[in-house]
Amino acid sequence: MTDALHPETLAIRTGTVRSQFMEHSEAMFLTSSFVFGSAAEAAARFSGAEPGPIYARFTNPTVSMFEARLAALEGAQRCVAFSSGMAAILATVMGLMKAGEHVVASRSIFGSTVQLFGSVLARFGIETSFVSPTDPAEWRAAAKPNTRLFFLESPSNPLTEVSDIRALADIAHQAGAWLAVDNCFCTPILQRPLELGADIVIHSATKYLDGQGRVLGGAVLGSHELMEGVYTFLRTAGPTLSAFNAWVLLKGLETLGLRMQAHTRHALALAQWLESQAGVTRVLYPGLPSHPQHALAMRQQAGGGGIVAFEVAGGQAAAWRVIDATRLMSITANLGDVKTTITHPASTTHSRMTPEQRAAAGIGDGLIRIAVGLEYPDDLKADLAQALGQARGEG
Ligand SMILES: *Cc1c(COP(=O)(O)O)cnc(C)c1O
């Protein structure tokens, strides 16, 4: 039945399981454990012969509703929710890989993900090769007989580089590996990696899925077979999504379609306007024809998304002047909020890289990233116009 429904409808109408009270809004089950009608029922629950909740580390009805709804949106057989996006990424590796195996990962991924693969997992005998997000030949060359996982984010942060998910899925499968896509920036409203051949989708639900900067959460999605390993890690290790956070995220999903369309509209308008501003030397947004992977982005995404990066002349001093002069934008590295956020990647999210690494990656000192929120777009333009003017010394 759900196959014929559009994402906006799935986000509102799937996953709901009502209690005996027939509540309209999904119930929040704030309980650590569940009681059984008899010893025999307890035994049947524990053996898996009878479905139903046992203990909230691995079974909670509110969390299950969130999982079912997100699974419908991504077109996945199963979703396993986690306490954060990083917990979801860790669980993917812990659930599916073992020491002695190898990962090929995009160089342009979230900073903590780089640390997780490059430092933490390396100590446990899982080695990672980092390659270009936009050059499939590098992925093919980096694959080894023990490679089990390809990992990428598209579009990337902060440069909005777009990876060819279908091409990289084919290369992964030829190498005997799975492709996992962190779909945080697009959400299933703008991009469904499983339909493009990926095996696993990962979310930091903290960002657009919540959409209002309230809670942390994460999720891993894929086939029943792959998710069994991921779920087993959750059950035994316990990086569990709380019922409260799951309830907030369920409500967040109900407006995800509207929000992503508005984020995209506002970001495109701002990016187009920025291209003609004095002192702005480069604008990076997948929805602009000037973006290096514009054609690919428009093939695999239903819109450019909400993240815009741009460079100002004058390096870090000029970038900081622009950021400090804005009045409507929050100076924070977070993204995916109704409130517009502005950040200077070189001195915050990417400050752990050496200047040489940043230069090689294309993250200049004048680069500014904006996660465009849902304020009225002309108000954001006016705010940036006065900020750019002040930075040029006109204020
Ligand atoms: C924020 C983020 C994460 C980590 O998610 P948390 O919920 O903060 O743990 C992972 N990937 C991307 C792309 C992110 O933006």
Side-chain angles (χ1 to χ4, degrees):
M1 196 250 327
T2 55
D3 285 350
L5 297 174
H6 294 84
E8 290 80 355
T9 309
L10 294 174
I12 293 170
R13 288 290 169 184
T14 50
T16 307
V17 179
R18 296 200 166 94
S19 79
Q20 68 195 93
F21 300 111
M22 295 300 285
E23 62 282 353
H24 194 200
S25 175
E26 291 73 11
M28 185 167 24
F29 289 90
L30 292 177
T31 178
S32 54
S33 61
F34 299 83
V35 290
F36 310 107
S38 66
E41 188 182 57
R45 289 270 179 92
F46 271 84
S47 74
E50 180 190 291
I54 299 173
Y55 183 62
R57 185 181 341 106
F58 51 93
T59 46
N60 179 288
T62 311
V63 174
S64 301
M65 287 189 268
F66 166 67
E67 291 170 333
R69 190 167 286 180
L70 187 57
L73 284 169
E74 287 286 5
Q77 288 177 354
R78 186 170 176 190
C79 170
V80 185
F82 289 92
S83 55
S84 71
M86 290 319 303
I89 297 169
L90 174 66
T92 302
V93 175
M94 297 303 273
L96 298 175
M97 294 182 67
K98 58 181 191 293
E101 293 182 335
H102 175 247
V103 178
V104 182
S106 161
R107 213 174 276 131
S108 303
I109 53 178
F110 189 65
S112 295
T113 314
V114 174
Q115 292 292 116
L116 179 68
F117 282 118
S119 302
V120 179
L121 293 168
R123 283 195 279 116
F124 294 89
I126 291 175
E127 186 210 353
T128 300
S129 304
F130 292 98
V131 296
S132 160
T134 55
D135 183 1
E138 281 195 25
W139 296 73
R140 196 190 304 277
K144 306 197 252 189
N146 61 341
T147 304
R148 285 292 158 271
L149 188 69
F150 277 26
F151 185 96
L152 63 86
E153 271 166 40
S154 184
S156 73
N157 178 24
L159 296 173
T160 73
E161 299 147 295
V162 176
S163 298
D164 189 334
I165 295 175
R166 195 177 288 285
L168 292 174
D170 287 345
I171 295 170
H173 297 156
Q174 282 158 21
W178 300 295
L179 172 63
V181 176
D182 182 333
N183 203 24
C184 179
F185 275 32
C186 275
T187 84
I189 298 297
L190 300 181
Q191 174 171 278
R192 278 184 290 284
L194 299 176
E195 288 175 6
L196 296 165
D199 305 284
I200 299 158
V201 171
I202 296 174
H203 276 286
S204 167
T206 314
K207 313 295 167 52
Y208 289 107
L209 301 191
D210 170 14
Q212 295 183 56
R214 298 165 293 192
V215 299
L216 272 84
V220 184
L221 301 102
S223 66
H224 286 300
E225 196 188 341
L226 288 179
M227 291 309 104
E228 195 52 39
V230 173
Y231 173 74
T232 300
F233 179 76
L234 170 81
R235 183 171 178 148
T236 49
T240 306
L241 181 67
S242 77
F244 176 77
N245 287 10
W247 181 82
V248 171
L249 294 170
L250 263 169
K251 298 288 110 184
L253 287 182
E254 291 176 354
T255 58
L256 183 65
L258 272 177
R259 285 187 289 105
M260 291 314 291
Q261 283 145 18
H263 281 296
T264 297
R265 217 169 42 240
H266 296 192
L268 179 61
L270 201 67
Q272 284 168 336
W273 174 84
L274 274 168
E275 277 198 310
S276 63
Q277 297 310 300
V280 174
T281 52
R282 184 165 74 131
V283 182
L284 289 163
Y285 181 68
L288 290 177
S290 60
H291 188 279
Q293 295 97 35
H294 175 66
L296 169 63
M298 294 302 98
R299 249 194 340 270
Q300 83 183 8
Q301 301 173 204
I307 310 293
V308 177
F310 65 102
E311 210 152 55
V312 292
Q316 171 167 314
W320 280 21
R321 277 202 301 278
V322 173
I323 291 170
D324 290 341
T326 59
R327 296 174 189 142
L328 281 179
M329 304 188 181
S330 312
I331 305 175
T332 166
N334 197 29
L335 59 98
D337 198 301
V338 292
K339 297 183 174 79
T340 295
T341 66
I342 189 163
T343 189
H344 180 247
S347 60
T348 60
T349 51
H350 292 70
S351 60
R352 278 184 288 188
M353 294 167 82
T354 64
E356 294 73 33
Q357 285 171 327
R358 277 199 299 275
I363 300 167
D365 288 342
L367 191 77
I368 294 172
R369 188 202 72 192
I370 295 185
V372 183
L374 301 186
E375 300 93 342
Y376 196 74
D378 288 351
D379 293 339
L380 295 177
K381 275 185 210 167
D383 189 30
L384 263 189
Q386 64 83 22
L388 287 164
Q390 280 196 43
R392 287 192 301 265
E394 296 162 11

